[in-house]
């Protein structure tokens, strides 16, 4: 997880030039031009410890990112949480407009590396890879958001758009439902959500994810002596449970991407 790829940005260079519109080409050129400052900013935020329980560190990283959104004309706020949750809170940046879909851009400020762990600072591995605590998960993704918005802003493409950026402070160790309430409320008001944590390797976008749910199967049957099964008592609860489970397998077993396990 510490190997880092802040270069989703780089991925866009791979797109064939002919397929891009003029503004898109300009945005990519801006991203490329601002790469040194983007990288410097990533280095700065990676070198601030922001383990989930290091609330001060999470807020410090949040402040630096918040300043960037301020410069781009976003309204920024810090969502505080009750002390009992022992979490830093969240950074929210918004802008309201009438153009296009309402976007919800998701990131998180915290990392799994608490202060008690040895510090591994930002280190350049080669020209497109760096390592360090939280580079990949996911300060790199946060910085991609900032760099992309900066480039869009430079081309005046943010004007009149509706964007909510939500960087939580407790993704790695959640403060629970109370900590997510505001996030869910705001997300519901948006049309499209984009999360910037690394997906399956570089240069890829994940467009769907499996959810998961748990089920309890309750089966009732008449009780009685085992010798009367299949006759007046019927088949009994175990056969009925097996019948239902087997029916799941029979009808859904070939469904792409679906897994289920009676255990
Ligand atoms: Zn993460």
């Amino acid at each position: 997880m510490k190997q880092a790829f802040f270069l989703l940005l780089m991925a866009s260079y791979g797109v064939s030039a002919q397929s891009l519109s003029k503004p898109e080409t300009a945005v990519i050129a801006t991203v490329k031009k601002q790469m040194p400052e983007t990288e410097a900013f990533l280095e700065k935020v990676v070198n601030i410890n922001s383990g989930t329980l290091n609330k001060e560190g999470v807020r410090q990283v949040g402040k630096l990112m918040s300043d960037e959104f301020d410069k781009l004309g976003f309204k920024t706020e810090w969502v505080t949480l009750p002390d009992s949750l022992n979490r830093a809170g969240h950074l929210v940046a918004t802008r309201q407009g009438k153009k296009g879909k309402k976007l919800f851009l998701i990131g998180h400020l915290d990392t799994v590396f608490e202060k008690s762990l040895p510090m591994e600072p930002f280190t350049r591995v080669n020209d497109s890879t760096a390592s360090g605590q939280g580079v990949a998960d996911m300060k790199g993704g946060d910085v991609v958001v900032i760099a992309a918005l900066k480039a869009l802003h430079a081309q005046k493409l943010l004007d009149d758009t509706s964007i909510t950026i939500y960087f939580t402070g407790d993704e790695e160790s959640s403060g629970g439902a109370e900590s997510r309430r505001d996030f869910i409320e705001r997300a519901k008001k948006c049309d499209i959500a984009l999360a910037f944590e690394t997906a399956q390797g570089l240069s890829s976008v994940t467009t769907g994810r499996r959810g998961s749910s748990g089920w309890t199967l309750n089966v009732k049957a008449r009780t009685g002596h085992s010798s009367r099964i299949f006759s007046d008592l019927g088949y009994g609860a175990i056969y009925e449970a097996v019948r239902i489970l087997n029916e799941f397998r029979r009808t859904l077993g070939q469904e792409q991407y679906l897994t289920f396990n009676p255990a």
Side-chain angles (χ1 to χ4, degrees):
M1 267 313 179
K2 78 186 156 63
Q3 205 64 357
F5 312 102
F6 45 94
L7 299 177
L8 256 182
L9 291 171
M10 281 295 207
S12 52
Y13 300 163
V15 178
S16 127
Q18 286 99 333
S19 65
L20 296 174
S21 67
K22 237 180 162 179
E24 285 167 340
T25 311
V27 165
I28 289 172
T30 313
V31 164
K32 211 169 180 175
K33 211 176 93 194
Q34 70 191 12
M35 191 59 88
E37 63 184 272
T38 301
E39 206 180 311
F41 185 74
L42 178 63
E43 177 166 8
K44 195 162 156 187
V45 290
V46 165
N47 286 340
I48 299 170
N49 176 281
S50 64
T52 312
L53 298 179
N54 179 7
K55 291 175 282 184
E56 201 196 314
V58 173
R59 288 186 194 121
Q60 233 178 307
V61 170
K63 174 75 172 77
L64 287 172
M65 296 193 179
S66 169
D67 289 346
E68 295 300 311
F69 295 128
D70 283 333
K71 285 186 225 161
L72 300 175
F74 282 79
K75 183 176 147 264
T76 52
E77 53 193 297
W78 190 259
V79 177
T80 54
L81 297 170
D83 287 347
S84 58
L85 298 186
N86 191 31
R87 295 294 184 276
H90 317 300
L91 168 62
V92 184
T94 52
R95 68 186 306 138
Q96 302 291 347
K98 292 187 199 74
K99 219 167 69 184
K101 303 270 190 199
K102 295 187 184 75
L103 300 182
F104 193 65
L105 311 183
I106 309 168
H108 65 84
L109 305 164
D110 62 322
T111 72
V112 294
F113 304 98
E114 292 296 343
K115 247 182 157 172
S116 52
L117 290 163
M119 177 64 180
E120 286 183 52
F122 182 92
T123 309
R124 266 172 204 83
V125 176
N126 58 44
D127 66 352
S128 59
T129 309
S131 68
Q133 291 178 350
V135 225
D137 186 9
M138 64 158 286
K139 286 170 180 169
D142 298 337
V143 170
V144 165
V145 173
I146 294 167
L149 291 173
K150 257 172 135 174
L152 289 166
H153 180 67
Q155 302 302 321
K156 302 206 182 322
L157 292 169
L158 288 184
D159 296 355
D160 207 26
T161 56
S162 284
I163 302 175
T164 299
I165 298 147
Y166 211 115
F167 286 179
T168 56
D170 62 351
E171 196 265 355
E172 301 294 359
S173 173
S174 168
E178 170 63 15
S179 174
R180 291 291 173 269
R181 197 171 37 80
D182 179 63
F183 178 96
I184 292 166
E185 273 169 24
R186 294 191 200 237
K188 282 181 178 165
K189 292 179 193 143
C190 297
D191 302 311
I192 294 174
L194 299 170
F196 288 79
E197 185 156 333
T198 43
Q200 294 285 303
L202 278 174
S203 315
S204 70
V205 171
T206 300
T207 55
R209 273 202 194 279
R210 298 201 297 182
S212 71
S213 61
W215 297 81
T216 305
L217 174 62
N218 291 310
V219 180
K220 283 183 188 154
R222 276 176 284 168
T223 53
H225 193 275
S226 61
S227 63
R228 288 162 62 205
I229 196 164
F230 309 141
S231 59
D232 60 316
L233 285 183
Y235 295 94
I238 293 173
Y239 280 110
E240 178 58 7
V242 169
R243 185 191 67 76
I244 292 167
L245 290 177
N246 192 50
E247 197 62 11
F248 270 103
R249 183 195 60 77
R250 206 183 57 75
T251 55
L252 298 171
Q254 299 306 312
E255 189 77 22
Q256 201 184 7
Y257 307 127
L258 179 71
T259 52
F260 50 93
N261 188 329

